[in-house]
Amino acid sequence: MSTPTADWLRLDQQICFSLNAASRAFGGVYRVVLKDLGLTYPQYLVMLVLWEDGELPVKRLGERLRLDSGTLSPLLKRLEAAGLVRRERSARDERSVQVRPTEEGLALRERAVEVPRRIAAATGFELAEIEELRARLDRLTSALDRAAAEG
Amino acid sequence: MSTPTADWLRLDQQICFSLNAASRAFGGVYRVVLKDLGLTYPQYLVMLVLWEDGELPVKRLGERLRLDSGTLSPLLKRLEAAGLVRRERSARDERSVQVRPTEEGLALRERAVEVPRRIAAATGFELAEIEELRARLDRLTSALDRAAAEG
DNA sequence: CGGCATTAGATTGTGCACAACTGAATTGTG
DNA sequence: CACAATTCAGTTGTGCACAATCTAATGCCG
């Protein structure tokens, strides 16, 4: 015997709402924690990738973070204005713009190592539970992307 | 053997990134599905509450959706401009503004009943799994809100 | 080589999230 | 009653997400 249609309709509305609410709640915590570093959450994500990769074109950055140039261009300009990042046209391919952290941007990493621990503490979750949730969310994202692509 | 501290800064280990990605992936699916109705996702949430409650002040709407007046005021103006909603100052308390669906807004409900089923199908998740995920996300949100409040 | 499609990034415009502030109405307290 | 504190909605300003469009550089193919 399957669940009545009307029931899972209601629950489904709540899952996206819960997800959205959780995402915004995270935003609130990050706002507090990142305030000292002078970063917003998306800017922090960009810096994470740069700390990992050292240097990469805007294109790759967008692929890593699922963001397009409409979001990244102004964001990178702000990071550049803050002195954390430099952007320069690639010599080999002048369509491409290389982004790399400045000395100041690299130095910021040492103050950022605190961040994940503080965030993890704020969730009140065990590491294993976080990991499981993350896996489930990634699976969800893949399914949703597939569905959106198919129309 | 535990994860080295340095690895905590890795992008792919940050739960918030997965959460944020899932939330935006949902956004993509809703954009497609809600296009026919002429609604954005947050506007759809507002209409859901109005279809349920019939009429309520902006304050209550904000409590239900975790949104403040800075978000709701312009959103409601757009819904009013679209003819789906009416806003009027309460006679009893003139600080308060009552929001209620117009005839057209109520009629839209019939075209919206399709939406949740299509979204649920896009997730590819079973009802039980959705429910469990929702419960976990709500618990996460509560913990994060508490942490943000404490600073 | 010439010409056309493709690619990278920037720009423009719309809408949402949120902080900070404003102004008007109401409530609580002396 | 007077008046200070609170409440509610709106406004302003910043930043992000995303679609659509633009420009310039590159690649490809005959």
Side-chain angles (χ1 to χ4, degrees), chain B residues 139-150:
Chain B
R139 190 156 59 81
L140 182 58
T141 299
S142 297
L144 291 170
D145 280 350
R146 247 190 327 274
E150 286 162 8

Side-chain angles (χ1 to χ4, degrees), chain B residues 20-57:
Chain B
N20 192 45
S23 182
R24 284 190 286 135
F26 253 123
V29 174
Y30 271 103
R31 226 184 314 284
V32 172
V33 172
L34 292 175
K35 198 173 173 185
D36 291 343
L37 305 184
L39 294 175
T40 66
Y41 173 60
Q43 288 168 6
Y44 169 70
L45 290 183
V46 166
M47 294 309 296
L48 282 182
V49 174
L50 291 175
W51 288 328
E52 229 176 282
D53 290 15
E55 168 176 1
L56 75 178

Side-chain angles (χ1 to χ4, degrees), chain B residues 40 42-43 67 70-71 78 93-95:
Chain B
T40 66
Q43 288 168 6
L67 294 172
T71 301
R78 284 186 285 270
D93 185 345
E94 296 211 353
R95 290 171 306 181

